[in-house]
Each structure stands twice: as structure tokens, then as C-alpha cells.
Amino acid sequence: MRKEALSKGTIYILLSLGAILMLLPFVWMISTSLKAPNEVMAMPPVWIPSEWQFGNYSEASESAPFGTYFFNSIVVTVLTTIGELLTTILAAYAFSRINFYGKGIVFAVLLGTMMVPGEMLLIPNFVTVSNLGWIDSYEGLIVPWIASIFSIFLLRQYFFSVPQELSYAAKVDGCSDFKFLWYVMVPLAKPALITIALLKIIGSWNAFLWPLIVTNSQELRTLPVGLSAFTTEAGIKYELLMAASTMVILPMLLLFFVMQKYVISGVARSGLKG
Amino acid sequence: MQKPTWKSTLKGYLYLLPALLILVVFSIYPIIKSFLMSFYTDYDFFSDTVNAYGLENFTKLFQDPNFITALKNTGIFVIGVVPLSIIISLAIAVLLNSKIKLSGFFRTIYFLPFVTSVVAVAIVWSWIFHSDYGLLNYILGLFGVDPIDWLTSPTYAMPALIILSIWKGLGFNIIIFLAGLQNIGNQYYLAAKVDGASAWNRFKSITLPLLSPTMFFVSIISIINAFKVFDEIFALFNGRPGPANSALTVVYYVYQKFYEEWEFGLATAAAFVLFLIIFLFTIIQLIVGKKFVHYN
Amino acid sequence: MDIHLNQLSMVFDNTTAVQEMTTTIKDGELVSLLGPSGCGKSTTLMLLSGLYKPTSGSIHFGDQDVTKLDAEKRGIGMVFQSYALYPHLSVLKNIMFPLRMKKVPKKEAEARAKEMAELVQIGHLLDRKPGQLSGGQQQRVAIARALVKKPNVLLLDEPLSNLDARLRLEMREEIRRIQQEIGITAIFVTHDQEEALSISDRVMLMKDGIIQQESAPQNMYKKPENEFVASFLGNPPINLMTLTKTHESTVYRLADSKEIIQLPALPPEDMETVRLGIRAEDLFHTTENPLFQGEIIHIETIGRDTLIRMQVGSITVRALVDPEQQLQIGDAYSLGVRPGNVHYFHSESGKRLPLQMRGGNWHAKTNVEEHA
Ligand SMILES: Nc1ncnc2c1ncn2[C@@H]1O[C@H](COP(=O)(O)OP(=O)(O)OP(=O)(O)O)[C@@H](O)[C@H]1O
Ligand SMILES: [Mg+2]
């Protein structure tokens, strides 16, 4: 008989306990977001509101321009993601399928810059963006983020796994390089592209420091920045704060539930390359 | 593939152009620029003119007690987060890997915080940490612990930050560990079982050594990420670096100098120091990582 | 449309894969490119397709110089060893792909693709993905895809090497049938000599990037132009040995032994040493004026034939003999050959040498006695 350190039952109990701890903040957030003000501060805590105050959500969205924030977040996330996919596809194709002078050096330099923490680039990028007149604009929020070395690297690996003969076959079938990329490579790399897109969506939706410094006006704030400002505005109205937090978190949670396979495989791959 | 020609080179760079343009302007140029900026001692942002260069920023930096505090706090934060987070996530990963049903379900749950906005969850945690009505103090109170001023006492601000960070980052480490564990061939375990090794011995003498490259990767990534902590602090302490600078970290210091005080030279110098620290760890990873290659 | 290759060369970093190849492939012909691994067959095909551009030399399709033309503009169809089907597209979409690239309207493309699918007999598989097909079916899809745009030339690079023996036989007949049905010029790369000899109008045998011989299959087998061709073709391999002239001008012995060989046909008189080649199946048992005499050292049954190896002086000779005979290892045995089945090659250049037939008064027997 196999000697196990822990029985199946113990494993389940330990994992469930951990899972409860992981979920507790979310549960508490949603619970608070649905409470009437008098229940929020009740001791002992009330887990299930006696009356569900869905009105908290509309009250929160009215007390700050969350509609605008939401719209901005969507615009920024969608455009950043599309932009990154385009630049990544083209660059990964060049690195995996075209032989050109300086390829090795360019690739090495790009990989090298991956070591540099983004925080270090913050100030010079701020200067650049303000020189371009992009402070407080969509350009400033989007353009610096539409290329990612990590994504290029990931997709390049994927492209390498497409046999060379397939590109020969496509050439013979009348494809130019660009058509081959578009009609063959891109459809074949769909899983990798979905992964790249999802990681970008998550990163872009949740980004904070950069949107914080390049936006001044309310009209261009993204959700996290708007939410952070809201903490000061809402004061101690925790039910509104939690409702607002839920609105920020929920879209990503839903997206993750639907597409978790791709997200997790992308994260796992980032580990395997190490 | 054929040798490069001028034609293929032109084509290659054409394909590379969009990505390269962005990366040069927003990644490569700023690296050089921030290196230079850290030597600007007299800089006018509005006209983008530099009046004087020098090492002054660095001497000023290390004479600034706030920067020393930031370095110290960052160090404490790294030490507080990394080992604990690795031990917990490794334990969970091993449990998840033990061929139980629902392991996918648990994995999803543990991973949830990773996909959520740091700002939003930090705000949720700041509510949980509330000293009078917070959930945490209530639960601790059930065990007879007196209420703790998590966010307003300089002693507890850092622990609060550490708890939040571990909770947030656990899922990432678990996924990486799981991938590493699944890479270990079953044959080792079978062999060990035949030899009559106990579960703990199997873990100690097979899992751990074979997992060491993953372990190493996770450690370095965790250390690097911990050095860069900012969003959590900003949201947890409502736009301040904790009570009495108790959660002032290097990146927060950079942000303060740059965005609040417009001390560009000092801020880039601090960022540069951060880069050197991270660079050092990356180099260690590359060197030690090379040695691990022989393992598998 | 004829294809002319003129002084075509392809040099990779330090290997010359194709060297100054000059030849013409006639319209409607099926030509096999045969040769050992690494001799430059695939490279030649890649040059023909335009996927590689030559280092020097030129390629003409009819009157048009296509040397610098890219693959997508040459109007060729190509079948690859791995089939290279698009994994994300159905069989029908795979076959339609070249037409869609040429902007043929969807309806027409579909009709033509279906027609082509019928020709290669996969009409019932149109909705499957390549991953759901057997090797032979994938092969047919690849052929259909290559032919659907009505190319001027069909290039096939070892299209059968991933199939099992039975299917290989079937598919090569199939390729021949389709090729003749549409009368397309086809170039077929293979390293399997049987394949090359059985389906092609003409075989080009290559070695180290150089064409060794190009001729009709039987001709190449019967009249190898050099020693390499002789040794490459045939199974069991041809018997090759070096002969040295003795003091007597019409008597030859094996180079490194005293064994005298009774030759039914002689090499040119001015040769001191020559290489002799005789195919195993051209040897037969005889006691009258035998060519080789020796001891049987090995017996093996191959299908309906019996292959023996016989020690003759310092060499061994392979022969296919009558399976009815009761032979045993150690038996003394003797073999003869008809004069027309003897091949001579220059001992240095390896080039084929002309034969001299002996006259009727041929006293081989006395020669043996004299020297024994
Ligand atoms: N892309 C390349 N770069 C460098 N050398 C190459 C390249 N392609 C082929 N060669 C070399 O050119 C020579 C001919 O190769 P080729 O692929 O044409 O041989 P082949 O006759 O098709 O062999 P096989 O029967 O093994 O397919 C070989 O020595 C090979 O190593
Ligand atoms: Mg080949």
C-alpha cells in the first residue's frame, strides 16, 4: 500500500480552509457592498445583509463619474490589447521567419531590456509623453503599452513550432509573407494569441501607477485611478466603496472564469522559461 | 532558412518597425535617459534643459533619511513576503498536485486575486483591516486578541501590507510550482516507492531537488516583484506611505520625489538604485540558473 | 512548357548543394531526381520552386527566365514530404487555399476544389481536418492542393517516404495515373531507386550536387555511365572489382590476388587496370568457361530467389541463382556471365569503358591450366 503523508480527507480540509481565506475578502466585499449603512459597522459582523441594497451600486456610480472611468478603462484596455497583438504578431514573425542582418543583436537587446523594471522608465517616459503633448490623453495612456517583449518572445516560440514546410507550401500556393502570416500563422497561433491578449487585458485593466501620473482630469481617469480617488471622496461610506471595488474587480473575475485555461497556461509558461 | 540579404533585411525591419518604434521610444531610450537623468543636478522640466550634471543626486540620496527608511522598509517587506509566500504556495501546490478531484476548482480560487486590480483589493483589505469594524480584528477578537491598529500604527502597517501582498501573489507562485511539479516525471516517484521511501522522504529527496530550478525562478521573481511594490501601499494607506513613513518603499520614494516634489534627478537616481538591486538579482538568477540546467 | 536549367549552382555556407547543373525537362515528362541522402535533390527542387534562389546559373520555364521570380509567382504546385497541410483548415479549404490566394471567386474555387478532390478520390473527406486523416489520405489532399490551380509544373519531394510499403506502391501508381491524366510536367524526388525506376519517364541520378546520369530507367540500369551509377542502382548491389592485366594482353587477374578471371568481353586494350562490374542477377551457374570459381560462403533466400556469396580469391561475389539447386555452404561452385552484361569502368575516373567482344577461338580453359 502506498504510504501517504496526508489522507485525502485532510488534503481536502486544508485546501478548503485555504480557499476560504482566499475568498473571504471577495465575499466580504460583496456582502458589504449590499448592506444598509447601519449594518456595515455592526458588530458582530453581518454576513448576509437583511435587505439587499442594490441601490448602493447606483449610488456609488452617481457619486463619482464611474461611467466615464469604465468607458476609459474599456477604451484603453481594448486599444492597448489590439495594438499589442498587432505589433507582437509582426515582430514575432520577423524574429521567427525572416533572416535579416542584426537580428541576433536586436533580439538580445530587447531581451536585455526585460530585466529593467518598468518603474525605472516611469520618469523619462513621463517626460517623453509630456513632450509629445500626451499628458491627459488617450494616446498617453495607450501608446507606451502597445508593444511587449514578453509577448513577442512568447509568440516567437509558438511560431517556431510551426513547421518550415508549411510556409514553403503557402508560398507555393501563392501567399506572400504577409498573407501567410495572416491566413496561416495567426490562425494556428490562436491559443498563444488568446493568452497574450488575456494577460494584456488583465494588466491593462488593473494598471495604476502610469494612469495615475499621466492623467490629471477626471475625464481621462481609468477605473483604478478613479476608484483610488473615490476613497477620499466617499470617506467612510464603506458600502459605496465596496460597491465601487466590486465594479472594478468583477469584469476581470468573469473574464477569468470563462478563459482561465488560457490565463493559467500563459502564467505557467512564463515560469517554465525561467 | 537562407542567409540574410538586403531585401530580407528590409522586410525584417519593416515587420519589426511598429514594435521596435514603441520599444525604442518607451523602453530603450528611457533606460539610457534615466541613467543620464540620475546625473542631472539642475534640471528644468518645463523647458527640458539641463543646467548641471554631477553625482550630487546620489550623495543627496544616501544622505536622505527617508531614502534610507525606504531601503530598509523595502528590505523588510521582501523578507516578510518572499519566504512565507514561497512556503505557503509550495505547500498548496503539492496538495493540489496530489491527484485529488476538484484540484482545478481550487486552483482557480487560489488564482483569483492575481487577476484583480491591486487598488480595488487593497481598498477591500483596508476595510478588513479597519481597527474598530474590520473583519480581521473581529476574528482575532474571537481568539481573545485585542484590536490592532493595522493601518494607523507604524508597527502594524508593514505586517498589514505583507498580508495583503502574500494573499495577492499566492496564485501566481502556485501555478508556477504546479507547472514545475507536473514536469517531474512519475518514474522517480515509482522508483522511490519501490525503495519504500515515505511520503516526506519522497518530498525531501525527489520533489525538492527536482523542483529547485522552479523554486529558484519563483524566488527571484518574487524578490524582484517585492522590490517594486507600490500600488498596494498607495491604495491601502490612501495615498500616503503608511503612518510615519512606515510603509515608505523605494518605488514609493521615487513616486514622491518625482510626482509630488518634482525632484527629477533625485527620483531617477533612486530608480537607478532600484534597478541596480534588481539587476543584481537577475544576474544571480542567470548565473545560478545555468548551474541548475545540469539537473534535469 | 520545357524547363531549362543552365549552369545552376547553389552554395550554402560551406557546402555546395547543387553544382553547375545543366539539363532540360521536357513538357509532360515525369522526371525522377534520385540520389543518396544529402546529394542535393531537395535543394534542386527548392531552386525550381523559387523557394531558394540560386547562387549562380539560371532557370527558364519555356522562354521565360524565372531565376529571380518568387515562388508565389512561378505557377508551380508542390507536394512535401510531410504534406504540409494547413492544420486549421478542412480538407476542402486546404484544396481551395491556392485558389483563394489567387482571388478566384468562392463558388468557382469550391467547384474546382471538389473536382480535384474527386480526381484524387477523397471526395468523401472534404469536411475533415488534416489531423483526422491517414497518411495516404493526407498525401492525396496534398496532391489535390498542388494541382488545383492548374500549375505548369508539379514538384514532389519524397512524397511517399512517410507511407508504409503497400501504400507507397499504391500511391506511386496513383501519382503516375494523375500525372498522365492531366499531362503535367512533374519532377519527383526520391531516394528509393525502385520508386524512381518504376514511375518515371526519365531518371536523373545525382551525387554531391552533380548529375551523374540522366536517361530512361532501363537504360540507366543496363548501361550505367559510371561506377557510382552502377553501384547505386540494383539490389543486391552490383559486384565490383579491380582487374589487372597480366603479361598476356588478353588475360586479367583480380588486383590483389593471383586469381585469373575468364572474361567473356574485354576492356579497351590500353588499360593496365580496370574496374569490372557485374550484377548479381546476370551471373549464372556454369561449368563451361566459368568466370568465377570458388567456395560458397553464404546462402540466403530473398523472396523467390536464392542469393549466394562466393569467395573468389580475395573478394566475395554475390549471385542470384536457381532456387531449385541444392546448395550448401562450403560447396565449390562456378559462375558465368553473358558478354553483354559485363560493365567496365575507368579505374580512376569511374567512367564507363567500351567493351571488346572476344572472337570465337577463346581458350580460356587452357589459360587456367597454364597459370594454375
Ligand atoms: N538550408 C541549408 N543550409 C545549409 N546547408 C544546407 C541547407 N539545405 C541543404 N544543405 C546542404 O546541402 C546538401 C544537399 O541537401 P539536400 O537537402 O538538397 O539533400 P537531399 O538530396 O534532399 O537529401 P535527403 O535525401 O536526405 O533529403 C547537404 O549537404 C545539406 O547539408
Ligand atoms: Mg531532401
Side-chain angles (χ1 to χ4, degrees), chain C residues 177-195:
Chain C
R177 170 183 75 81
I178 296 165
Q179 186 260 336
Q180 288 183 333
E181 209 167 306
I182 53 181
I184 190 172
T185 311
I187 297 156
F188 183 101
V189 165
T190 176
H191 59 241
D192 180 340
Q193 43 170 303
E194 199 196 321
E195 215 163 88

Side-chain angles (χ1 to χ4, degrees), chain C residues 254-270:
Chain C
L254 287 176
D256 42 8
S257 71
K258 291 229 156 58
E259 197 76 19
I260 298 293
I261 301 294
Q262 315 298 326
L263 297 163
L266 290 177
E269 268 171 54
D270 53 338

Side-chain angles (χ1 to χ4, degrees), chain C residues 100-236:
Chain C
R100 298 298 291 157
M101 288 301 114
K102 275 178 34 181
K103 304 220 157 57
V104 175
K106 196 159 181 226
K107 278 251 170 63
E108 188 194 335
E110 210 171 301
R112 275 169 66 181
K114 281 183 175 155
E115 193 182 311
M116 198 46 74
E118 288 307 325
L119 179 74
V120 299
Q121 300 166 351
I122 45 162
H124 55 297
L125 301 170
L126 292 177
D127 294 327
R128 296 228 197 137
K129 290 272 170 71
Q132 305 164 317
L133 299 178
S134 73
Q137 290 166 337
Q138 290 186 40
Q139 186 57 273
R140 287 169 194 264
V141 179
I143 293 171
R145 185 183 62 182
L147 291 175
V148 74
K149 63 180 169 194
K150 305 208 168 81
N152 301 319
V153 189
L154 179 63
L155 306 173
L156 307 104
D157 192 354
E158 308 207 19
L160 306 178
S161 57
N162 283 351
L163 303 177
D164 67 43
R166 279 267 306 274
L167 203 54
R168 203 143 65 201
L169 217 71
E170 188 182 308
M171 282 306 296
R172 80 182 188 211
E173 282 158 18
E174 194 65 9
I175 288 177
R176 183 61 163 160
R177 170 183 75 81
I178 296 165
Q179 186 260 336
Q180 288 183 333
E181 209 167 306
I182 53 181
I184 190 172
T185 311
I187 297 156
F188 183 101
V189 165
T190 176
H191 59 241
D192 180 340
Q193 43 170 303
E194 199 196 321
E195 215 163 88
L197 296 180
S198 64
I199 71 166
S200 31
D201 297 311
R202 211 146 56 87
V203 178
M204 279 183 203
L205 183 56
M206 288 181 73
K207 183 193 165 202
D208 299 337
I210 299 171
I211 296 183
Q212 302 292 312
Q213 181 169 358
E214 42 181 324
S215 51
Q218 275 317 304
N219 209 14
M220 183 171 283
Y221 190 77
K222 291 231 170 81
K223 275 211 163 73
E225 269 170 30
N226 62 38
E227 193 179 321
F228 170 77
V229 177
S231 65
F232 188 81
L233 294 181
N235 191 17

Side-chain angles (χ1 to χ4, degrees), chain C residues 241-244 246 251-262 290-295 310-315 333 368 371:
Chain C
M241 61 210 77
T242 308
L243 300 183
T244 311
T246 59
V251 180
Y252 288 79
R253 62 175 173 80
L254 287 176
D256 42 8
S257 71
K258 291 229 156 58
E259 197 76 19
I260 298 293
I261 301 294
Q262 315 298 326
L291 178 64
F292 300 123
Q293 281 181 306
E295 186 182 310
M310 196 172 91
Q311 189 74 40
V312 180
S314 58
I315 62 161
Y333 204 60
V368 174
H371 290 274

